[in-house]
Amino acid sequence: MAQSDVVVPVHSCAPARSRPGKESPLGTDSAASHVSAAQPGLRKSGYALVALRDHLTPDEFAILAGVYERELALDEWLPLRSRTRRRAYQRFALAVGELTFTPDTDPGPYIQSMSVNPLQGGIERVFELIPPEHPVTAVTAKIAGVVAESLRTAGVLDAVRAPEVEVDIHFIRISAPGEPAPEGVHRDGLLGGSVHLVHRENMAGGVSEVYETPEQRLDSFELAEPMDSFLFDDARVLHYTHPIAAADPERAAHRDVLLTGFREP
C-alpha cells in the first residue's frame, strides 16, 4: 500500500439526461450538489444519473483522457473473436468514515464469481496496472470520492457495517463493433459502483439500461457527454449496455468509460 492518503473534497454536479421521453431519476433540476442530486435516486430506485463534467478541471480531464490514448492494453481474457476491449486498472483502499483513499501498489488479480460473470467468473485476471504515482491517481480518487459520498449518503456504504472497502478502478475502451457487456444483464458483485463516460468517437448504439429483475427494465438512457455518469446500488439493480457500432463505417469508432466498483475486502 502507498504511504499517503488522497483526501477527496466535496464538489458539485448537475443531473445527467435520460433518453428522450424518459425522465432522469433525479428530475431536471440543475446546480444540485452531488449528494443531494444522487441520493434521492439511489435511495428510492437504486440508481442515479448525474453529470460530473464541472467536477474536474480541464487539466484533470486531459490527464484522465490521456490514459485511454497511451496506457491501455488489449484485454486478452476475452475470447479471440471478441477482443475489442482495451483496459487498465487501479485499486484503492477506502476508509468509509473519513472518505480517504489509499492507492494499492500491488493489487493482485481481479476476481469475480461465476454467479455475476458467467463468462469470466472464477478467473484470476491481471490487467495493465496504472501505478499510484501516475498523475491520474489523484483524478480517479477525486471521482471515486464523489461516488463514495453519494453511496454513503444513500446508505449503500456504511462506516459501521463496513468501515473499509476496496475500490476498483477500470479504464475501458470498447472499439466498434463491440460489446460493452457481453455477459448480458448483470450485477457486478459489488456494494455499489459507477460508470462515467470519458469519450465517444464516431459511435452509434451503446444505450444503457437498468433492471429490477432480468425481465423488468426500469430505465433506458444514453451517456452522451463527457462525464455523464451512472451510479448504482449493486444489490438492488442490474444493468446492461447495448453493443456499439460505427456511425460512419469508413471511420474508426470507440467508447471510453471509467468504472468504479466498491466492495468489501
Side-chain angles (χ1 to χ4, degrees), residues 111-142:
I111 306 171
Q112 291 179 296
S113 72
M114 287 290 293
S115 63
V116 299
N117 189 340
L119 295 180
Q120 297 168 318
I123 300 174
E124 294 187 351
R125 291 182 286 167
V126 177
F127 305 129
E128 185 74 14
L129 185 64
I130 303 296
E133 61 270 19
H134 194 292
V136 81
T137 300
V139 181
T140 52
K142 187 176 184 180

Side-chain angles (χ1 to χ4, degrees), residues 40-47 154 156 187 190-191 210-213 218 232-238:
L42 279 168
R43 193 176 289 278
K44 180 180 179 181
S45 304
Y47 72 102
V156 181
R187 288 186 167 90
L190 307 168
L191 298 170
V210 187
Y211 291 77
E212 184 171 359
T213 70
L218 296 173
F232 60 92
D233 179 343
D234 200 50
R236 294 182 58 193
V237 298
L238 303 91

